[in-house]
Amino acid sequence: MMETANLFELENRHGSGAYGKRPTALVRGEGVYAFDQLGNRYLDATSGQGVAALGHCHPAVIKAISEQAATLITCHESFYNDRRAELYQLLASIMPADLKRFFLCNSGAEANEGALKVAKLLTGRDGIVAAKRSFHGRTTGALSLTWTQKYRKPFQEWLPAVDYVAFNDIQAARDAITDATAAVVVEAIQGEGGVHPADDEYLGALRERCDQKGAMLIIDEIQTGFGRTGNWFAFEHAGIVPDIISVGKAIAGGLPMGAVCWRDAHGPIDRATHGSTFGGNPLACAAALAAVAAIRDEGLVERARVNGEWFIDELSALKLPGVRQVRGRGLMIGLELRGRVTPILKALQEQGVLALPAGLNTLRLLPPLIISREQLSVVASAIEAVLG
Ligand SMILES: *Cc1c(COP(=O)(O)O)cnc(C)c1O
């Protein structure tokens, strides 16, 4: 194996420079654990940025990828394909109500780009309303929906105008949504912005106002989807049905994939108005088939709900002096700290636990949904050791 110093040197020398990197090379994964090059084991409460809901290298995903790799890797959507048809059927079976139309793509940002195009095509309008503190991705369309200034600022002139409203402010949303609004875009739980759940009444009010004005309600479920919050999708907690949702991250067990999903009542979009070379490729579809079926068959949605409630109670009961508030739903949890999160992430890693930031002051936990209570207790103990 390449020497660690050499590996760092090569990435720093030739990488884009766009990423701040931790001085650790992860080279192997197994269930809830990731291993570095020196053989150190970490409990991965990042799930690789919310992707590895099934943990690392789930056997069903390995098998599906291996078999499909030896069968057919690429097949453009101008042809039909068996794996893709099966995936549409499986996705349609887990989506509530008439959310049965899909456009398959390759990432979260691409799913949000597609969601915006679908909204424009379905309404013929241009106006976009998004929330302050939002994160929807880095491509120009998705970036226009992303509030965080440090991501937007260098590109401001290229970005379409978006009307930003305060998150969870019903009156502000009512005022902003007009007859010119094509789409209102929100996360059901703001992830990068600090793990802030949308109030059920807020999502209900958005639904009502969009109906009044004929605007599309887009919910970004890229981080919250596929069981993370204790329902298949986080909007279900509010008892509403959006017009369009975007998904990504956990959908394909670790392979890159995204999807736009919209209500059958709106019908298909016109031919040639959207497309993707890799979108719906059989390899990603096979991985997604295995991953989504495993989440369903292993009861991980329910498990995330029950274990998440338990874990949030455990963390709250610690009453840690360094923690201002514990927030979240299911296994999407944020601890708002009294200080900066970066040194805490470093200290947790020294305790053998990998966690994420969400903004400057929030510690974010997105453990694999397969995690046991014993393993969650290990995470809690490490947090107690560092913040107690
Ligand atoms: C991660 C994320 C995205 C962007 O997904 P990429 O695959 O990185 O493009 C968009 N929205 C939300 C809510 C996310 O968490």
Side-chain angles (χ1 to χ4, degrees):
M1 226 185 260
M2 186 180 279
E3 293 230 357
T4 306
N6 195 14
L7 183 161
F8 288 177
E9 220 273 308
L10 283 168
E11 285 208 27
N12 292 336
R13 166 78 182 77
H14 298 292
S16 65
Y19 298 96
K21 290 177 192 272
R22 306 189 201 193
T24 305
L26 298 178
V27 295
R28 191 166 73 80
E30 195 183 316
V32 300
Y33 297 108
F35 297 83
D36 71 15
Q37 229 194 354
L38 308 170
N40 296 312
R41 189 182 81 165
Y42 303 97
L43 206 161
D44 185 5
T46 75
S47 297
Q49 236 75 5
V51 169
L54 292 165
H56 294 285
C57 299
H58 188 284
V61 176
I62 297 174
K63 182 165 181 283
I65 293 174
S66 314
E67 287 179 4
Q68 192 59 38
T71 305
L72 185 67
I73 295 177
T74 191
C75 170
H76 189 257
E77 281 237 25
S78 50
F79 292 87
Y80 293 91
N81 174 260
D82 49 355
R83 290 291 96 78
R84 189 190 304 130
E86 287 166 19
L87 179 62
Y88 283 138
Q89 185 179 43
L90 178 60
L91 290 177
S93 77
I94 64 160
M95 287 289 168
D98 69 334
L99 286 160
K100 309 290 178 194
R101 287 264 168 204
F102 302 94
F103 179 86
L104 299 174
C105 55
N106 312 288
S107 72
E110 204 187 336
N112 281 331
E113 298 286 333
L116 286 177
K117 286 177 77 173
V118 171
K120 164 94 181 166
L121 291 168
L122 295 178
T123 62
R125 301 175 183 178
D126 302 320
I128 302 169
V129 176
K132 293 183 177 170
R133 231 173 32 203
S134 59
F135 180 85
H136 297 287
R138 316 290 199 134
T139 53
T140 43
L143 187 59
S144 73
L145 306 169
T146 293
W147 189 68
T148 313
Q149 290 306 304
K150 75 173 173 195
Y151 300 151
R152 293 167 57 82
K153 213 160 174 255
F155 310 102
Q156 195 61 51
E157 291 74 16
W158 290 352
L159 305 180
V162 167
D163 193 359
Y164 285 101
V165 294
F167 189 62
N168 274 336
D169 182 336
I170 291 177
Q171 194 53 49
R174 283 210 182 109
D175 293 344
I177 301 166
T178 69
D179 297 323
T181 306
V184 180
V185 189
V186 291
E187 295 154 87
I189 299 179
Q190 290 189 319
E192 298 282 318
V195 191
H196 296 280
D199 299 334
D200 292 349
E201 312 78 67
Y202 180 64
L203 292 183
L206 291 184
R207 178 65 282 171
E208 191 184 313
R209 185 62 174 168
C210 284
D211 285 340
Q212 279 170 4
K213 292 293 170 185
M216 295 287 131
L217 177 58
I218 302 177
I219 307 258
D220 180 337
E221 291 271 0
I222 291 165
Q223 193 164 143
T224 47
F226 298 100
R228 170 63 54 196
T229 71
N231 262 330
W232 275 105
F233 298 95
F235 69 77
E236 294 176 80
H237 295 288
I240 57 139
V241 182
D243 297 290
I244 303 171
I245 69 171
S246 49
V247 297
K249 293 206 162 93
I251 186 174
L255 252 62
M257 187 181 232
V260 190
C261 169
W262 66 97
R263 299 182 71 157
D264 214 20
H266 296 311
I269 53 173
D270 289 339
R271 193 159 292 182
T273 52
H274 200 33
S276 161
T277 298
F278 290 124
N281 72 80
L283 189 67
C285 288
L289 265 171
V292 175
I295 291 171
R296 179 193 60 199
D297 298 342
E298 294 178 24
L300 297 182
V301 180
E302 171 73 4
R303 185 178 170 117
R305 190 174 62 71
V306 176
N307 281 349
E309 271 172 22
W310 175 82
F311 190 45
I312 289 172
D313 285 347
E314 291 285 299
L315 290 171
S316 306
L318 293 175
K319 296 201 187 317
L320 297 171
V323 176
R324 208 184 287 274
Q325 196 188 20
V326 182
R327 293 189 287 265
R329 222 165 201 171
L331 289 172
M332 179 166 178
I333 298 166
L335 286 79
E336 190 178 313
L337 309 179
R338 291 188 195 280
R340 294 286 164 125
V341 66
T342 315
I344 304 303
L345 294 175
K346 188 162 178 283
L348 281 174
Q349 183 167 336
E350 280 159 14
Q351 301 273 327
V353 171
L354 303 180
L356 289 164
L360 293 176
N361 301 315
T362 302
L363 176 70
R364 182 170 39 142
L365 303 172
L366 299 173
L369 309 186
I370 57 165
I371 197 167
S372 69
R373 285 198 181 181
E374 294 68 38
Q375 291 161 335
L376 285 169
S377 296
V378 170
V379 177
S381 301
I383 289 173
E384 191 175 16
V386 169
L387 286 163

